[in-house]
Amino acid sequence: DAGITQSPRHKVTETGTPVTLRCHQTENHRYMYWYRQDPGHGLRLIHYSYGVKDTDKGEVSDGYSVSRSKTEDFLLTLESATSSQTSVYFCAISESGDRAPYEQYFGPGTRLTVT
Amino acid sequence: DAKTTQPTSMDCAEGRAANLPCNHSTISGNEYVYWYRQIHSQGPQYIIHGLKNNETNEMASLIITEDRKSSTLILPHATLRDTAVYYCISYGSGNTGKLIFGQGTTLQVKP
């Protein structure tokens, strides 16, 4: 299995509080991604990174920010959590994102509940 | 919206081959077909991918039609642990990680 860890694995927080989720990889892959998964919507891309300090938005980026100061870490921040951000969050890594092969490897997920 | 269509669900007897179809009639010439699966509550797992030729690895085989408009993922000897949601995705250069996961096929392997 690819060396990807996510922390925390579970979190319950209150509306309006800031939350940071961490994704850590040991594969030295260039690309890192954050997805959320909700019933009826499948996995949707929030943000991705194509290198240190290089990030871009996905299809559901509102309310989220990211940072990548080191190759191995990709942080997802909810500045002020809302109940609509209750979801399971998956991190993924890829050796390449713009040329074959493109396969992504996913972390175990973080279950976030905003009350 | 997903660019692929798959049956919502399928059953397979343990030990038999599971054949999961996928239609991708609008696939472009530089797009690969990727298969992932997601076992309950876990992160998606990469299975296999192909462009034109049939592919086989330790997990599965991928059969792509000559016109590339459809493909079939084959799990040769399904086990109970293969029960999962299987996603077929077309993906190519320029997508920059924007995998579009549709609803996939829920495969139930039964004893």
Side-chain angles (χ1 to χ4, degrees), chain B residues 10-63:
Chain B
M10 295 180 63
D11 290 342
C12 177
E14 187 178 20
R16 303 296 295 268
N19 297 283
L20 293 89
C22 178
N23 286 319
H24 33 79
S25 58
T26 61
I27 194 170
S28 61
N30 66 347
E31 287 186 323
Y32 288 69
V33 177
Y34 278 79
W35 283 83
Y36 288 78
R37 73 180 182 184
Q38 187 172 24
I39 298 170
H40 182 61
S41 297
Q42 298 181 19
Q45 177 188 23
Y46 163 78
I47 301 173
I48 198 167
H49 73 278
L51 183 63
K52 297 179 182 178
N53 300 320
N54 299 336
E55 302 288 345
T56 296
N57 63 19
E58 65 278 4
M59 290 183 66
S61 295
L62 175 60
I63 308 299

Side-chain angles (χ1 to χ4, degrees), chain A residues 70-85:
Chain A
K70 298 185 291 185
T71 298
E72 57 266 35
D73 289 326
F74 193 31
L75 304 181
L76 177 71
T77 297
L78 292 66
E79 299 292 347
S80 178
T82 67
S83 58
S84 65
Q85 294 174 312

Side-chain angles (χ1 to χ4, degrees), chain A residues 31 33 35 37 40 43 45 48 90 97-98 100-107, chain B residues 32 34 36 38 42-44 46 49 87 91-93 96-99 101 103:
Chain A
Y31 287 76
Y33 311 86
Y35 293 87
Q37 186 170 33
L43 280 97
L45 182 66
Y48 67 98
F90 288 102
D98 57 355
Y102 310 100
E103 56 262 36
Q104 295 185 11
Y105 298 94
F106 287 77
Chain B
Y32 288 69
Y34 278 79
Y36 288 78
Q38 187 172 24
Q42 298 181 19
Y46 163 78
H49 73 278
Y87 298 99
Y91 179 74
S93 62
T96 324
K98 297 177 184 176
L99 292 180
F101 285 81
Q103 297 304 309

Side-chain angles (χ1 to χ4, degrees), chain A residues 31-90:
Chain A
Y31 287 76
M32 298 185 76
Y33 311 86
W34 277 107
Y35 293 87
R36 61 178 289 175
Q37 186 170 33
D38 307 291
H41 288 280
L43 280 97
R44 293 180 291 174
L45 182 66
I46 305 172
H47 280 280
Y48 67 98
S49 169
Y50 47 97
V52 173
K53 298 186 179 178
D54 293 323
T55 65
D56 204 350
K57 297 178 180 180
E59 65 176 305
V60 289
S61 59
D62 288 348
Y64 301 94
S65 63
V66 291
S67 66
R68 189 168 179 201
S69 58
K70 298 185 291 185
T71 298
E72 57 266 35
D73 289 326
F74 193 31
L75 304 181
L76 177 71
T77 297
L78 292 66
E79 299 292 347
S80 178
T82 67
S83 58
S84 65
Q85 294 174 312
T86 291
S87 187
V88 180
Y89 291 85
F90 288 102

